[in-house]
Amino acid sequence: MGVLTVAALVLIGYGLATRRYDRALALAGVTAAGAAAVVGSVAVPTFYAVASGLLVVLLARYARGRSAGRRISIMAVPGAGLFLAFFAWAVLVTLVAPMLFPGLVTVTPSGAELVAGHLTVSNIAQILYLGLSIGVVLLFAYTSSTGPQTLGLMLAVAMLLSLWRYLGLHAGVPFPYGVFDNSPGFAYIETAAGGIPRFRGIFSEPSALAGVALTAAVYSLARAVQVRGPWRLGNLVVAGIAIFLGIVSTSTTFVVVGAIMLGLAVVVVVGGFVSGRTGWPLGGVYVFLAMVVASVWVVPAAYEFVQAVLTEKVASDSYGERSGADADSYQVFLDTFGFGVGLGSGRASSFFATLLSTTGYVGVLLFAASVASVALPAVRIRAAQPVLWVLATTLIARFVSGPELTSTSGVMWMTLGVLASMVMADREARASTESSALPPPPAPDDPDSRVPTSARSSPGAGRSAASSAAPAVTVSED
């Protein structure tokens, strides 16, 4: 029994005892390159080991709701029907594809062929992981304490542990090597071509660190705008650590996705100011004008740097392998006539190619609709802005270099769950406000309450009947 096995059991117990399973899952997602257990040839990630306790949590909440006379409806969760439809379709494709396309070579590390009536261990594992991931969304939606801070906890701890490992390698600080990244299912990469050292933190490779570091930086900067005092300082510190780790990772993902997110942030901020939706203090206007002037020199230099990084990346062997995996996955999509080969039977270099080749055209549409059903209602919620930035960064980073639908950190599914929870809370707040704004029912001695229903069937009739009834009441009271 390893350290992460014990940690997973402790987190499960903590989540069940405190009813804060969202925190337990957030902490479990920190060790994305760690395994809590190894079942056969499958290394079970810490996140999904802790997520396995969801069945107990959901049944307990359902029972408490029944005993309290409250009915918990899963379909009340934003996009619940679409998420469940996506899961059902993905399972259907996984079961049927081997019978429809036997002998088709899949884009997997082993290059296995589809065999009719046979499911691989990877197929079963990915089905279970996707089911647990959607369960996380549903659980978070009904957890009132879930919010942006849930994601902040995971991202901050991941950055601090990665910084600790950096100090261990470069400053001699004691660090428990092999504890947080113990999974035999990963090939750990810490060098580039020619043996040049690279830094991966507690993740499996530098690009994985770069994706999480960029997500942490974007979240912390967006969150710092909304909080005050020590919390703002803490978020700024985490953002600084994340940017530093992203730079030392020397990952092209950090440069490319970072440039995209920076451009998107400029468009959103300037667009909000121009449209009048957001206001800036006078100091902010001066800073913006100074940045506009500085951009005359900064933008060309940044463009040349990004272009040089991309040129070097395109010329590398890893780019050829990754682009080849994507091309083969698109060919699998065409060979199956857009149906897909099923979960666990395809792993391209990018998220879109993997999703398209495994779940097909219908799966892509269902997944996109599921995400939109949660993200679009959250746009109007100010507190949800940092979470939306996390979702955007995660999706863009995966489209560049993240093939997993069910990543071992669970960050995408936790993000969707946090948004679902905030949308439901916003709906309840709006409904409460609207109900409190309604006029109270008439009092028993209210003259209007004695007016026959037929007389109140129209506004004019109501007014005439009320005016005729009022004097009679006055006389009888005198």
Side-chain angles (χ1 to χ4, degrees):
M1 182 179 291
V3 174
L4 290 186
T5 305
V6 176
L9 294 174
V10 170
L11 288 175
I12 292 174
Y14 166 79
L16 295 176
T18 63
R19 301 182 183 179
R20 291 301 307 269
Y21 220 81
D22 55 330
R23 287 185 180 177
L25 287 167
L27 291 172
V30 170
T31 54
V38 178
V39 181
S41 59
V42 177
V44 182
T46 312
F47 175 79
Y48 287 106
V50 176
S52 63
L54 282 177
L55 181 61
V56 176
V57 177
L58 292 175
L59 289 177
R61 294 195 176 187
Y62 178 77
R64 286 198 301 269
R66 288 289 298 270
S67 62
R70 293 180 291 105
R71 182 180 178 182
I72 298 178
S73 174
I74 292 178
M75 300 310 294
V77 178
L82 290 169
F83 281 115
L84 295 176
F86 172 67
F87 176 71
W89 172 258
V91 173
L92 176 66
V93 173
T94 306
L95 297 176
V96 174
M99 294 183 286
L100 295 179
F101 314 103
L104 180 67
V105 178
T106 60
V107 183
T108 54
S110 61
E113 297 181 355
L114 295 180
V115 179
H118 175 69
L119 289 181
T120 65
V121 174
S122 180
N123 294 141
I124 298 173
Q126 291 301 315
I127 289 175
L128 293 176
Y129 291 165
L130 181 58
L132 290 173
S133 298
I134 294 177
V136 168
V137 177
L138 301 178
L139 171 70
F140 275 34
Y142 277 104
T143 303
S144 58
S145 58
T146 298
Q149 67 278 0
T150 303
L151 296 176
L153 175 64
M154 185 200 73
L155 296 171
V157 174
M159 291 300 97
L160 291 175
L161 290 178
S162 293
L163 178 64
W164 185 12
R165 187 172 186 271
Y166 180 86
L167 296 176
L169 292 173
H170 299 278
V173 177
F175 180 81
Y177 297 99
V179 171
F180 305 115
D181 46 1
N182 67 338
S183 176
F186 289 109
Y188 295 97
I189 301 173
E190 290 194 274
T191 57
I196 301 174
R198 302 177 66 190
F199 183 65
R200 62 174 176 85
I202 61 169
F203 299 90
S204 60
E205 57 180 329
S207 63
L209 169 62
V212 178
L214 187 58
T215 302
V218 169
Y219 167 85
S220 298
L221 291 174
R223 185 67 172 163
V225 176
Q226 298 183 344
V227 295
R228 297 289 185 270
W231 294 108
R232 170 174 289 182
L233 178 61
N235 277 283
L236 292 177
V237 170
V238 172
I241 293 173
I243 293 172
F244 169 76
L245 293 175
I247 293 174
V248 299
S249 72
T250 66
S251 173
T252 307
T253 300
F254 187 80
V255 177
V256 174
V257 181
I260 294 174
M261 296 309 300
L262 181 60
L264 183 61
V266 170
V267 171
V268 171
V269 172
V270 175
F273 176 73
V274 172
S275 63
R277 294 193 303 270
T278 58
W280 292 357
L282 185 59
V285 175
Y286 289 148
V287 171
F288 174 73
L289 293 176
M291 293 175 62
V292 170
V293 175
S295 66
V296 176
W297 294 276
V298 174
V299 171
Y303 173 77
E304 292 180 2
F305 172 72
V306 173
Q307 187 180 37
V309 170
L310 290 177
T311 302
E312 182 180 358
K313 182 64 177 180
V314 170
S316 65
D317 294 336
S318 63
Y319 178 80
E321 295 175 359
R322 291 174 181 270
S323 59
D326 284 346
D328 292 341
S329 297
Y330 292 132
Q331 186 60 49
V332 166
F333 170 75
L334 296 176
D335 291 340
T336 59
F337 307 100
F339 186 75
V341 292
L343 300 173
S345 294
R347 191 179 190 277
S349 173
S350 63
F351 178 74
F352 181 72
T354 298
L355 186 64
L356 195 64
S357 64
T358 55
T359 64
Y361 180 71
V362 175
V364 170
L365 292 180
L366 287 174
F367 177 78
S370 302
V371 174
S373 65
V374 175
L376 293 180
V379 171
R380 65 171 180 266
I381 306 173
R382 182 179 179 275
Q385 299 309 307
V387 186
L388 289 170
W389 281 109
V390 169
L391 180 63
T393 306
T394 301
L395 290 176
I396 293 174
R398 291 197 177 186
F399 272 86
V400 174
S401 63
E404 300 89 355
L405 173 62
T406 54
S407 70
T408 51
S409 68
V411 62
M412 181 178 71
W413 298 100
M414 284 193 289
T415 302
L416 292 171
V418 171
L419 290 175
S421 175
M422 300 184 78
V423 170
M424 291 186 68
D426 181 69
R427 287 178 179 175
E428 293 177 1
R430 289 173 178 270
S432 176
T433 302
E434 292 175 357
S435 62
S436 62
L438 294 175
D445 58 345
D446 189 344
D448 288 346
S449 65
R450 300 189 181 94
V451 179
T453 304
S454 59
R456 296 199 305 265
S457 58
S458 65
R463 284 193 297 268
S464 60
S467 59
S468 61
V473 173
T474 304
V475 171
S476 61
E477 290 179 347
D478 287 342

